[in-house]
Amino acid sequence: MYQRFFGLERNPFAITPDPDFLYLTDKHREALAGLLYAITCRKGFLVLTGDAGTGKTTLLRTILRRVSAERIVFSFVVHPTLTAAEFLEYTMLDFGFPNIPASKAQRLVMFQQFLVRSYEEGKNPVLVIDEAQKLSPELLEEIRLLTNAETAEHKLLQIVLAGQNELNAVLARDDMRQLRQRIAIRVAIGALSEAEVVQYLKTRWMRAGAKEKLPFTADAARALAEYSRGIPRLINTICDTALTNAFANETRTINRAQIEAAASDLLLNTASGVDAENASAVASPTPQLKMPEKKQPVAEGMPSLRTIERYEAEAQKRAKAGGWLTRLGLNRA
């Protein structure tokens, strides 16, 4: 609606997880490098956590887009509320199985043969499960058993559990100890700082093909950081609403008052409001919903920048080619 008015080629603040608009903070860069390292080196179970709207799905889709399709094959499960039988069928369908038998035993044998054949062909199957905090304990146990397929050195199936911070509580349960012991890498991403919000705005504006300067004033950016709490999905929703209002009023500059008006339209304020998953769905005034207390990302197992350098060295040694960070462009500022 407002793209032409502001000289844009694309919508810079769509809420869909588009890798073209990924903004890498240090935490996002560490998470991306750590996941890539663990996948390519066949480490088995990996866990990615973060609050709703912080960019987990965008990060995962970036990996899917940038790794070699000749070396790695993906199944991406976005509906985790399935039965064990439905989950295995969904996974196999997404891996490209043409005919899936009704018998669970036959399905498991077929899947095992697929994993062995993929390993012999030099391919690495990766199962990515989004919204993993919604997985039932029974289904998590079924998923754990899938990783029993292994050689003496490597896991034949890599599994990425991506979910909100509640996933950590699920994995901390006593009946999850066997799965927890198999987790090779844990990474977490969090909200953006005020300075990162400014860079986030600039990055998305530029990648949308902007022909004019960023229309947000410094006060508007500070207001965005306050009302969004640094959550990218909320930033996008507020910005999209503010730009739409500016277009309607033929205003080319977004100030603090306009951000506050957009936040009010979305039932947001600095103390309470709707969460990142529901903000974009607000269409008419309704009673304000109390926002959950902001949680800090869990740092357990999260690789440091020094650790990422070690990841890079090992990946270079194994691949005998250019570094993974260089291939992904992660070493750029």
Side-chain angles (χ1 to χ4, degrees):
M1 180 181 292
Y2 54 77
Q3 284 94 313
R4 182 177 297 180
F5 180 76
F6 284 100
L8 302 169
E9 297 175 2
R10 302 173 62 184
N11 183 346
F13 299 111
I15 62 172
T16 52
D18 187 346
D20 287 343
F21 287 92
L22 177 64
Y23 169 67
L24 289 172
T25 66
D26 285 344
K27 291 180 180 178
H28 284 73
R29 184 175 288 108
E30 285 187 357
L32 189 56
L35 288 172
L36 184 64
Y37 159 78
I39 288 171
T40 55
C41 295
R42 298 178 181 267
K43 294 298 183 180
F45 256 111
L46 328 171
V47 173
L48 167 65
T49 55
D51 278 336
T54 50
K56 299 181 297 297
T57 304
T58 305
L59 207 62
L60 293 171
R61 293 193 181 278
T62 299
I63 294 175
L64 266 65
R65 174 182 288 190
R66 297 189 182 184
V67 297
S68 171
E70 297 178 357
R71 297 284 302 277
I72 297 178
V73 290
F74 283 93
S75 175
F76 201 110
V77 177
V78 294
H79 301 287
T81 53
L82 302 168
T83 66
E86 290 169 340
F87 183 89
L88 181 56
E89 181 180 12
Y90 187 112
T91 298
M92 294 175 72
L93 286 170
D94 208 40
F95 268 127
F97 285 72
N99 300 303
I100 301 175
S103 165
K104 179 179 179 180
Q106 291 178 331
R107 288 180 182 182
L108 289 172
V109 169
M110 182 180 290
F111 192 65
Q112 175 82 10
Q113 291 172 343
F114 160 72
L115 295 178
V116 172
R117 184 171 63 253
S118 296
Y119 182 78
E120 292 172 345
E121 294 173 353
K123 294 182 178 180
N124 187 1
V126 180
L127 172 59
V128 180
I129 306 169
D130 207 359
E131 299 292 344
Q133 77 278 357
K134 297 180 180 180
L135 292 168
S136 67
E138 295 76 19
L139 188 47
L140 278 168
E141 176 62 11
E142 291 284 340
I143 293 169
R144 179 187 71 83
L145 292 174
L146 291 179
T147 62
N148 284 340
E150 59 188 4
T151 69
E153 296 180 348
H154 302 296
K155 294 289 186 181
L156 298 186
L157 176 65
Q158 318 313 310
I159 298 179
V160 181
L161 299 179
Q164 296 174 28
N165 289 330
E166 291 82 357
L167 177 59
N168 291 305
V170 174
L171 296 175
R173 291 166 46 123
D174 187 61
D175 57 349
M176 291 289 105
R177 62 187 181 281
Q178 292 189 62
L179 188 154
R180 193 165 57 246
Q181 291 169 2
R182 298 193 181 199
I183 297 173
I185 293 287
R186 281 181 184 248
V187 292
I189 56 177
L192 307 180
S193 67
E194 184 176 315
E196 289 170 339
V197 168
V198 174
Q199 292 304 314
Y200 178 86
L201 295 175
K202 291 179 179 179
T203 298
R204 294 189 72 100
W205 193 255
M206 177 187 67
R207 292 181 184 176
K211 298 179 177 62
E212 300 179 13
K213 67 177 183 179
L214 188 70
F216 299 92
T217 66
D219 279 346
R222 282 191 287 271
L224 265 173
E226 293 170 14
Y227 284 97
S228 69
R229 297 179 302 150
I231 297 175
R233 188 183 297 160
L234 286 179
I235 294 172
N236 289 0
T237 306
I238 295 171
C239 287
D240 189 68
T241 301
L243 289 167
T244 300
N245 292 341
F247 166 71
N249 295 315
E250 298 186 352
T251 301
R252 294 188 179 277
T253 301
I254 310 295
N255 58 29
R256 183 182 184 91
Q258 289 163 292
I259 294 298
E260 291 175 344
S264 178
D265 289 344
L266 295 165
L267 308 183
L268 296 169
N269 60 52
T270 54
S272 63
V274 298
D275 61 30
E277 293 182 296
N278 297 321
S280 60
V282 174
S284 60
T286 57
Q288 288 189 342
L289 304 175
K290 182 175 178 60
M291 292 206 64
E293 182 180 352
K294 183 175 179 182
K295 299 178 181 179
Q296 295 299 320
V298 176
E300 181 183 353
M302 187 172 181
S304 64
L305 289 174
R306 183 173 297 177
T307 305
I308 296 303
E309 293 175 357
R310 189 177 73 249
Y311 290 169
E312 168 68 355
E314 183 170 343
Q316 286 180 331
K317 182 178 179 181
R318 289 175 179 272
K320 297 180 180 179
W324 291 111
L325 294 181
T326 301
R327 291 185 186 183
L328 286 176
L330 299 181
N331 54 354
R332 294 196 297 268

